Amino acid sequence: MAPGSKAERKAALDAGAWMFNVVTSVGIIMVNKALMATHGFSFATTLTGLHFAMTTLMTLVMKWLGYIQPSYLPLPELVKFAFFANLSIVGMNVSLMWNSVGFYQIAKLCIIPVLCILEIIVDKVRYSRDTKLSIVLVLVGVAVCTVTDVSVNSQGLLAAVIAVWSTALQQHYVHHLQWKYSLGSFNLLGHTAPAQAASLLVLGPFVDFWLTNKRVDAFNYTSIVTFFIVLSCIIAVGTNLSQFICIGRFTAVSFQVLGHMKTVLVLTLGFLFFGKEGLNFHVALGMLLAVIGMIWYGNASSKPGGKERQVYSTPSEKTQKHGVLSSQSELDQKV
């Protein structure tokens, strides 16, 4: 295959991966908004456990069909990942409960600089000036269009710090595990989804009762609520898979920066379907700045020297230590 056609194919696959993540992420946000805001199902942690249970079912079916090949992930690595991932979920929910919406949004934005620190320290990544400025522009744009009231207390600040660092560590760990153990997205999900499903379904009802003072088993499960729960779980399979694909193909920082396109789309769809209250000049300006920053970041980080590792592992060393990349990685290319 000619170099030009290879580059074009990679660009098409990259765009497809991002589109897959954007569509599924926006879809699940809209479904969950209807489920929680309209129908009062406020058990977010338990719902996430159901999401991973459905994802586990998907991976079992894929294994049975032969699309997921046997792979290895050490138990300590799996436990560490599940701990970070579950702490991220609970931390974000608690942060939202204890903080104002404005400070919660600021905390979410802090994930990007924390990930940058992890990449610089752990992965020895170097950023160009344009790449750094584009990240700043994205942060400013998203802050302008989402941050309103900002109030914080010591309890809420602690929850936000835990949520930010656990989320950053979980997303950085996805890329680390895929690279270190030559795991494709399906393989990694096959290892992590069952662990997260089991732990969240056990702990979720207790966490949700602590957060909402309501029991998940006492909720009135009407047919429409059940439909939205099932629909949310089905979409979550694509969301979980697409997150692993995108972080594996790019990095956690790129996933977070370009992922704020979802924030812009959710705001836009919210204005279209749930009324135009809150749509004003500074919100529109913030959305425009964020989009410009994302385009700038994509262009700047893809240029030579825009974002690169200072220390590289040679393919032969990686092959000798971990074996050749599994056929699952090829399947990721096709998704």
Side-chain angles (χ1 to χ4, degrees):
M1 186 180 292
S5 59
K6 283 185 178 181
E8 291 172 1
R9 183 172 180 272
K10 182 182 182 303
L13 289 171
D14 288 349
W18 280 118
M19 187 58 65
F20 183 30
N21 180 255
V22 168
V23 170
T24 55
S25 297
V26 173
I28 200 170
I29 289 172
M30 303 306 289
V31 170
N32 287 351
K33 184 173 182 179
L35 179 62
M36 295 181 179
T38 305
H39 299 284
F41 188 86
S42 55
F43 309 103
T45 309
T46 303
L47 181 62
T48 306
L50 293 173
H51 289 169
F52 282 106
M54 181 68 78
T55 304
T56 300
L57 179 61
M58 181 273 294
T59 60
L60 291 175
V61 172
M62 296 291 283
K63 285 181 180 178
W64 181 66
L65 294 174
Y67 288 107
I68 299 181
Q69 303 302 317
S71 60
Y72 173 70
L73 180 64
L75 181 60
E77 299 274 37
L78 176 60
V79 171
K80 192 186 300 183
F81 176 87
F83 174 76
F84 289 145
N86 291 347
L87 188 61
S88 167
I89 293 166
V90 175
M92 281 297 179
N93 290 338
V94 173
S95 178
L96 181 59
M97 181 183 72
W98 286 350
N99 294 311
S100 65
V101 175
F103 187 77
Y104 173 77
Q105 292 293 344
I106 290 176
K108 287 180 65 177
L109 291 175
C110 289
I111 295 172
I112 293 178
V114 170
L115 280 169
C116 289
I117 293 172
L118 289 174
E119 284 196 350
I120 291 171
I121 295 176
V122 178
D123 297 331
K124 310 300 182 185
V125 171
R126 181 177 58 193
Y127 297 90
S128 69
R129 180 180 61 86
D130 281 0
T131 304
K132 294 174 185 176
L133 290 175
S134 66
I135 292 175
V136 172
L137 184 60
V138 171
L139 293 174
V140 170
V142 175
V144 168
C145 65
T146 60
V147 177
T148 52
D149 61 310
V150 177
S151 60
V152 64
N153 53 60
S154 57
Q155 189 181 36
L157 178 61
L158 177 62
V161 170
I162 293 174
V164 167
W165 275 95
S166 58
T167 301
L169 287 167
Q170 182 261 337
Q171 293 189 358
H172 182 269
Y173 215 47
V174 169
H175 190 78
H176 168 76
L177 292 177
Q178 287 182 314
W179 173 258
K180 184 176 181 180
Y181 297 101
S182 299
L183 293 172
S185 302
F186 285 95
N187 288 103
L188 188 56
L189 269 182
H191 289 290
T192 60
Q196 286 192 258
S199 55
L200 288 174
L201 287 177
V202 170
L203 297 176
F206 298 100
V207 174
D208 288 332
F209 180 76
W210 173 48
L211 294 175
T212 66
N213 203 31
K214 297 177 183 178
R215 289 173 47 185
V216 65
D217 60 310
F219 187 79
N220 180 28
Y221 291 91
T222 62
S223 57
I224 188 67
V225 168
T226 304
F227 168 77
F228 275 118
I229 291 175
V230 173
L231 180 60
S232 178
C233 290
I234 292 173
I235 299 174
V237 173
T239 305
N240 293 331
L241 177 60
S242 64
Q243 181 192 52
F244 281 19
I245 291 175
C246 286
I247 294 177
R249 292 184 68 85
F250 311 103
T251 64
V253 171
S254 296
F255 177 74
Q256 277 289 329
V257 172
L258 300 181
H260 278 297
M261 178 62 73
K262 293 174 285 191
T263 303
V264 174
L265 287 175
V266 168
L267 286 173
T268 303
L269 292 174
F271 294 138
L272 290 175
F273 295 110
F274 300 103
K276 294 183 172 56
E277 296 83 0
L279 179 60
N280 52 44
F281 173 75
H282 86 270
V283 170
L285 176 62
M287 293 166 66
L288 179 61
L289 290 176
V291 171
I292 293 174
M294 292 172 210
I295 296 173
W296 187 11
Y297 174 84
N299 182 59
S301 62
S302 62
K303 289 181 177 179
K307 181 181 178 182
E308 60 185 14
R309 292 175 183 267
Q310 294 172 299
V311 179
Y312 294 88
S313 296
T314 63
S316 59
E317 290 173 347
K318 186 172 185 293
T319 300
Q320 291 172 4
K321 188 174 182 180
H322 305 297
V324 296
L325 288 174
S326 67
S327 59
Q328 186 60 47
S329 297
E330 298 176 4
L331 185 57
D332 289 348
Q333 301 282 325
K334 301 175 184 176
V335 174

